[in-house]
Amino acid sequence: MAISGHFDDSLAETPLLLDTVDGAVDFKGRPALRSYSGGWRAAAFIIAVEVAERFAYYGIESNLISFLTGPLGQSTAAAAENVNIWSGTTSLLPLLGAFVADSFLGRYRTIMLATIMYILALGMLTLSAVLPFSNVNCQISSSSTSCSELQVILFFISLYLVALAQGGHKPCVQAFGADQFDTEHPEELKARSSFFNWWYFTYTAGLLVTISILNYIQDNVSWVFGFGIPCIVMVIALVVFSCGTFTYRFSIQGGEKSPFLRIGKVFTVALRNWRTTPSTIAGEEEARGTMPHQGSDQFRFLNKALVAPDGSRKDGTVCDAYEVEEAKALLRLFPIWAASLIYAVVFAQPPTFFTKQGVTLERKIWPGILVPAASLQSFISLSIVLFMPTYDRIIVPIARAITGKFSGISMLQRIGTGMFFSTIAMVVAAFVEMKRLKMAQDYGLIDMPDVTIPMSIWWLIPQYVLFGISMGFTMVGLQEFFYDQMPGELRSVGLALYLSIFGVGSFLSGFLVSCIEKATSGDGHYSWFANNLNRAHLDYFYALLAGLNIVGLAAFLFFSKSYVYKRAST
């Protein structure tokens, strides 16, 4: 099989009797035929693998706080911080995975390796719950928590091995799926825009099943089955992905310098030439022709990389216009990246404090059957499942007729709309928490944290649904934006940058929780995140996040106005 991370220019010549796709080859290294490769036939295999990976990941992440505060006996604040740290790590590691894929292995091989690592990690996680020493129950005392250290060590090693596997899997799978559509072909370009919508729809539909079933199994049957089922699913995913090999298109990467090295060289040469006069730069721009991008007037200091320190043209020691534009395209993304961080902090709340809220409420649906609190996250998935087809088939065509854009509205407009909905979600969450605290007070349950508050858990549904709608706008918009606006060879890195927003956001959420915990727990007072949630003030925290989100949205709108898209059509 001729699959590799980089393809030589000396590909086997094939008579162009059939329509081939420029810049792509099949699994044998031959020019890819449009009618036999790529498109939805190939994307379907890749989407199936993504559904399985998300099933495995959210099967752990969605109920992790319950395992930490239950079997491992951690406090609510400590568990929330651990969840945020782990979530942040899983969202930052894709930067490493993208670097490996784009510079060495290629996306296909990185996905295969990451999937095998996933299976190993989930197997170890299951082992941490099935070995005899896992029967040693953790007991919380006023001074310490006694628990099998071996079990804890194996659990956390397995957990972070999952993070490492996810780091190789996540940035490559979606980029590899989008690679199956030729942006130079009008119909495939339109299909690629829909691909991002249906990508999010299908794996979210999978999450709906994951959160509904796995969380119940973990809470009511066994953590062994709760961790073991995702392991089996990833084994099936490996088989499915391998079966699709014959239909995939592989982007050609020649023997030119690594894109990381090219972009790094631009910044290095520009810094070395910081004393170069504007007239010298202008003369070099004129000599080399018009810069190839309508936003070339931005970051003009990088144009200093076009000339040598003495103003001469020395091939090999200076950069060309295309390399300078690659660097500018990357730099152009960072204000949008930074402005999205507060949204990511808000995004970290459903699997942590929302879940802990639900535990305190009335969850009985039938005698003896309780709704797992973490399962309410399925309403995020359900709202996305219902919203995405409506958006793709109704809202987009109407907007497309008005704006003339393939995507209906611009990617940045879509992202900003989702940020607005997330602000509303936090305001609603604050009011619902105020009602929960009042019910606890009215029924004399303030100092009885183990007693169920006579308030239905369904009160939490609106904030979950609003989060789902928000994610349908912002998450999909960010995915498409960071894929589309990156140089072609760095699209895995683009999706890794998108994921890193939520990695940094999770760390910021953990840091914020830690600071508030220290600031509000002194002098005998209960902190905002007290183990007794009836004495805590999550309503204050949610109100604070709503205010911060408004600031973040304002910053996002400011940077969006000056952003210049890589292609005018987007």
Side-chain angles (χ1 to χ4, degrees), residues 128-150:
S128 73
V130 76
L131 288 177
F133 58 76
S134 66
N135 293 326
V136 181
N137 294 324
C138 299
Q139 301 294 331
I140 306 175
S141 66
S142 59
S143 59
S144 65
T145 299
S146 61
C147 186
S148 168
E149 291 186 7
L150 182 58

Side-chain angles (χ1 to χ4, degrees), residues 111-389:
I111 294 169
M112 292 289 287
L113 181 62
T115 305
I116 294 171
M117 189 182 300
Y118 234 125
I119 294 170
L120 174 63
L122 291 170
M124 291 172 58
L125 201 62
T126 305
L127 186 63
S128 73
V130 76
L131 288 177
F133 58 76
S134 66
N135 293 326
V136 181
N137 294 324
C138 299
Q139 301 294 331
I140 306 175
S141 66
S142 59
S143 59
S144 65
T145 299
S146 61
C147 186
S148 168
E149 291 186 7
L150 182 58
Q151 180 185 11
V152 174
I153 292 172
L154 181 60
F155 173 78
F156 277 103
I157 289 176
S158 306
L159 195 64
Y160 279 90
L161 191 57
V162 168
L164 183 60
Q166 192 263 176
H169 200 281
K170 190 60 179 170
C172 298
V173 176
Q174 191 171 19
F176 191 54
D179 287 345
Q180 306 308 309
F181 300 91
D182 181 12
T183 56
E184 300 303 320
H185 189 277
E187 290 302 317
E188 291 198 21
L189 176 61
K190 186 183 296 185
R192 200 201 71 177
S193 181
S194 291
F195 165 77
F196 284 97
N197 290 328
W198 289 101
W199 171 277
Y200 208 68
F201 168 82
T202 50
Y203 97 63
T204 302
L207 292 187
L208 185 60
V209 177
T210 301
I211 296 173
S212 301
I213 297 177
L214 271 185
N215 290 163
Y216 181 83
I217 291 173
Q218 290 167 349
D219 285 353
N220 298 281
V221 181
S222 168
W223 284 99
V224 175
F225 287 109
F227 294 147
I229 292 173
C231 183
I232 296 172
V233 169
M234 286 306 295
V235 172
I236 297 173
L238 181 62
V239 175
V240 171
F241 184 71
S242 299
C243 290
T245 299
F246 303 100
T247 69
Y248 299 148
R249 292 174 186 168
F250 300 86
S251 299
I252 299 174
Q253 297 180 20
E256 68 271 10
K257 189 187 303 180
S258 164
F260 290 95
L261 295 178
R262 292 201 307 268
I263 291 175
K265 179 182 176 182
V266 172
F267 287 98
T268 301
V269 176
L271 182 62
R272 186 187 65 195
N273 295 346
W274 68 277
R275 292 183 177 179
T276 303
T277 61
S279 59
T280 303
I281 298 172
E284 185 63 19
E285 291 175 355
E286 184 177 354
R288 289 178 180 242
T290 304
M291 294 292 283
H293 186 265
Q294 60 176 328
S296 293
D297 287 339
Q298 290 183 312
F299 310 119
R300 288 186 64 87
F301 66 91
L302 289 180
N303 292 359
K304 294 181 178 182
L306 294 169
V307 297
D310 58 0
S312 64
R313 304 174 197 169
K314 297 180 180 179
D315 293 336
T317 61
V318 298
C319 304
D320 61 32
Y322 178 78
E323 292 172 336
V324 171
E325 287 307 309
E326 277 189 323
K328 288 185 178 182
L330 183 61
L331 196 58
R332 214 174 271 120
L333 295 175
F334 276 97
I336 302 298
W337 181 92
S340 303
L341 289 177
I342 296 180
Y343 174 82
V345 173
V346 174
F347 178 80
Q349 306 318 311
T352 53
F353 293 121
F354 280 17
T355 300
K356 293 302 294 182
Q357 276 181 284
V359 171
T360 69
L361 301 177
E362 179 58 60
R363 297 182 286 132
K364 185 181 296 183
I365 52 175
W366 284 293
I369 299 179
L370 300 178
V371 177
S375 292
L376 257 65
Q377 293 173 65
S378 63
F379 283 95
I380 296 178
S381 303
L382 181 61
S383 61
I384 294 173
V385 167
L386 296 176
F387 172 73
M388 292 308 296

